[in-house]
């Protein structure tokens, strides 16, 4: 059984679907602080399989340990549960360190006690900051974090590395996601931000739907072809599949070292304006936008070199940008219907 923390969240829910499709039993643990319980039924509808669910806050050590007593067949963990808003992390750093680091430590202590040695962690390309050379490979040095959120990802990677060094039986893989977007092709699960979306795609789909007047594009005088920032937008289902491959790699002892990390992106960068145009082309819906001031903390451009993940994991992004954006639109419409 695969313990999936944060399994009702955006990337977690898509990963649970792929784990179930691959034949794994899954237990979701989530505190529902940024997701809905109903996602469990939606996952079951998509897969026609049952999934176990526990509403638990992983900051609670006792309750975290109790999960492993209750589910003795857990043999691997995919750990998503974390806070992820960059701006909020700047305002509430302690909350971010407590949520993202405190819960990781509890989980790792429980894993050690119950001898669960296979651990997949959701990291982020944020650990690279603004790299001097693009695309970024796994050898690109990590830089000083630009936000407490980014720092929690960096520290978490270090904790996993140190744990794997100290305990030779413990194996972990950190997946450094670029920008995950899109939704399940059924339109039953997708990204569900609370309040005004901070991320680009939910803002685009909500604007297209008429919930927002216009998209604000943050800056158009960056050193890029059209002046807007470049990111590597990765389809969330493709991303979810990278977790299934990583879990199998650990369970089958195919990992090359006890702590591994991979870039998970498409290998292709797109500007904000290119994303807006691709959305309009694939959906036929116009997105009103205006150019506004740069957003503090935004990096100019980043995209992944995914060669290592392609070769080592045998994983590759398969879905194109337009198809991915169409899936995000389908989800938005379905959800609001
Ligand atoms: C950030 C984090 C990333 C985190 C992700 C999810 C960094 C460097 N990146 O990604 O680690 O996983 O959030 O929370 O910390 N944009 C607009 N208008 C909008 C919204 C966004 O123009 O209303 C632009 C941004 O300037 C950026 C691009 O769209 O160029 C993507 O922004 P966003 O979706 O917020 O993701 P990142 O900031 O790249």
């Amino acid at each position: 059984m695969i313990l999936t923390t944060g399994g009702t969240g955006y990337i977690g829910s898509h990963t649970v679907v792929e784990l179930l499709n691959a034949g794994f039993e899954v237990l979701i643990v989530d505190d529902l602080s940024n997701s809905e319980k109903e996602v469990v039924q939606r996952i079951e509808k998509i897969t026609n399989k049952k999934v176990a669910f526990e509403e638990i806050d992983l900051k609670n050590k006792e309750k975290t340990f109790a999960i492993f007593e209750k589910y003795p067949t857990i043999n691997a963990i995919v750990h998503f549960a974390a806070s992820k808003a960059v701006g909020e992390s700047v305002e509430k750093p302690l909350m971010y360190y407590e949520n993202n680091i405190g819960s990781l430590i509890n989980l790792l202590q429980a894993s050690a006690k119950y001898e669960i040695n296979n651990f997949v962690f959701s990291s982020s390309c944020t650990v690279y900051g603004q790299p001097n050379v693009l695309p970024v490979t796994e050898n690109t040095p990590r830089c000083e974090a630009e936000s407490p959120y980014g720092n929690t990802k960096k520290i978490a990677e270090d904790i996993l590395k140190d744990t794997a060094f100290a305990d030779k039986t413990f194996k972990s893989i950190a997946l450094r996601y670029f920008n995950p977007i899109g939704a399940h092709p059924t339109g039953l699960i997708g990204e569900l931000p609370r309040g005004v979306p901070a991320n680009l795609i939910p803002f685009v789909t909500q604007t297209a739907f008429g919930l927002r007047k216009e998209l604000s594009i943050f800056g158009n005088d960056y050193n890029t072809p059209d002046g807007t920032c470049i990111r590597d937008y990765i389809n969330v289902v493709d991303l979810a599949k990278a977790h299934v491959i990583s879990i199998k790699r650990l369970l089958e002892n195919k990992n090359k070292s006890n702590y591994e990390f991979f870039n998970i992106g498409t290998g292709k960068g797109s500007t904000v304006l290119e994303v807006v145009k691709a959305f309009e082309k694939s959906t036929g819906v116009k997105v009103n936008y205006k150019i506004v001031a740069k957003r503090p903390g935004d990096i100019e451009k980043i995209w992944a070199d995914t060669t290592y993940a392609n070769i080592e994991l045998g994983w590759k992004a398969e879905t194109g940008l337009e198809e991915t954006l169409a899936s995000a639109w389908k989800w938005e419409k379905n959800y609001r219907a």
Side-chain angles (χ1 to χ4, degrees):
M1 174 180 255
I2 315 294
L3 166 59
T4 309
T5 76
T8 49
Y10 174 43
I11 305 169
S13 58
H14 289 82
T15 300
V16 171
V17 166
E18 295 309 316
L19 284 167
L20 291 168
N21 283 343
F24 289 106
E25 269 191 280
V26 177
L27 163 64
I28 294 176
V29 166
D30 205 299
D31 68 355
L32 301 178
S33 61
N34 196 25
S35 61
E36 308 296 330
K37 173 93 191 290
E38 196 211 335
V39 170
V40 174
Q41 281 82 54
R42 288 169 175 252
I43 290 169
E44 290 179 339
K45 194 167 170 198
I46 294 171
T47 58
N48 207 15
K49 293 190 173 154
K50 284 273 159 214
V51 56
F53 175 80
E54 296 284 346
E55 185 178 339
I56 285 167
D57 182 345
L58 296 166
K59 291 198 294 296
N60 184 318
K61 200 179 282 268
E62 253 171 49
K63 286 189 179 162
T64 302
F65 276 62
I67 300 167
F68 293 84
E69 288 287 342
K70 186 167 173 190
Y71 297 91
T73 60
I74 293 172
N75 58 348
I77 300 171
V78 191
H79 181 44
F80 294 103
S83 306
K84 61 164 188 176
V86 178
E88 185 187 45
S89 79
V90 176
E91 323 241 297
K92 301 174 186 165
L94 295 182
M95 183 187 120
Y96 269 67
Y97 287 111
E98 187 181 29
N99 270 353
N100 295 7
I101 303 300
S103 59
L104 173 68
I105 290 173
N106 286 344
L107 202 53
L108 288 175
Q109 286 173 335
S111 315
K113 180 173 175 203
Y114 293 91
E115 296 177 17
I116 315 301
N117 291 321
N118 306 299
F119 198 97
V120 175
F121 176 67
S122 55
S123 190
S124 166
C125 70
T126 194
V127 300
Y128 296 117
Q130 176 61 71
N132 296 324
V133 181
L134 287 164
V136 287
T137 73
E138 287 77 358
N139 292 326
T140 301
R142 300 183 315 165
C143 74
E144 196 166 322
E146 307 204 1
S147 69
Y149 158 77
N151 210 21
T152 65
K153 292 295 174 193
K154 227 178 131 189
I155 294 169
E157 285 194 351
D158 291 339
I159 290 173
L160 290 176
K161 187 168 148 231
D162 293 344
T163 306
F165 182 78
D167 174 358
K168 302 295 181 215
T169 61
F170 178 78
K171 300 171 289 176
S172 67
I173 294 178
L175 300 178
R176 292 176 176 165
Y177 315 153
F178 283 67
N179 285 53
I181 62 163
H184 196 268
T186 56
L188 285 169
I189 52 172
E191 192 170 3
L192 195 54
R194 289 188 174 160
V196 182
N199 296 111
L200 179 62
I201 304 310
F203 210 106
V204 166
T205 55
Q206 289 194 10
T207 306
F209 197 79
L211 284 176
R212 315 264 159 217
K213 196 168 130 258
E214 59 196 354
L215 166 73
S216 295
I217 294 183
F218 301 133
N220 68 347
D221 58 354
Y222 285 102
N223 183 22
T224 61
D226 62 25
T228 62
C229 292
I230 296 178
R231 297 287 185 274
D232 183 335
Y233 295 94
I234 168 79
N235 177 282
V236 69
V237 176
D238 288 347
L239 170 63
K241 289 177 180 164
H243 297 79
V244 179
I245 292 172
S246 300
I247 281 290
K248 286 185 179 163
R249 181 177 176 89
L250 294 176
L251 289 173
E252 294 165 10
N253 283 313
K254 291 198 172 134
N255 52 304
K256 288 243 166 91
S257 69
N258 277 12
Y259 169 64
E260 297 183 300
F261 48 93
F262 296 94
N263 286 344
I264 304 294
T266 66
K268 186 177 173 293
S270 307
T271 68
V272 179
L273 280 171
E274 281 167 353
V275 170
V276 170
K277 282 182 197 129
F279 180 87
E280 291 179 337
K281 188 166 169 232
S282 71
T283 64
V285 184
K286 206 177 142 25
V287 179
N288 297 323
Y289 69 83
K290 64 173 176 196
I291 307 291
V292 301
K294 286 178 179 169
R295 182 169 69 174
D298 262 343
I299 56 160
E300 185 169 87
K301 49 190 158 193
I302 188 164
W303 64 95
D305 182 323
T306 60
T307 312
Y308 189 54
N310 299 160
I311 293 171
E312 261 312 309
L313 296 179
W315 171 90
K316 184 160 147 291
E318 280 165 358
T319 319
L321 182 61
E322 283 182 27
E323 190 183 332
T324 301
L325 292 167
S327 71
W329 179 231
K330 181 175 179 182
W331 156 247
E332 183 77 55
K333 284 188 297 180
N334 268 11
Y335 183 74
R336 307 282 165 201

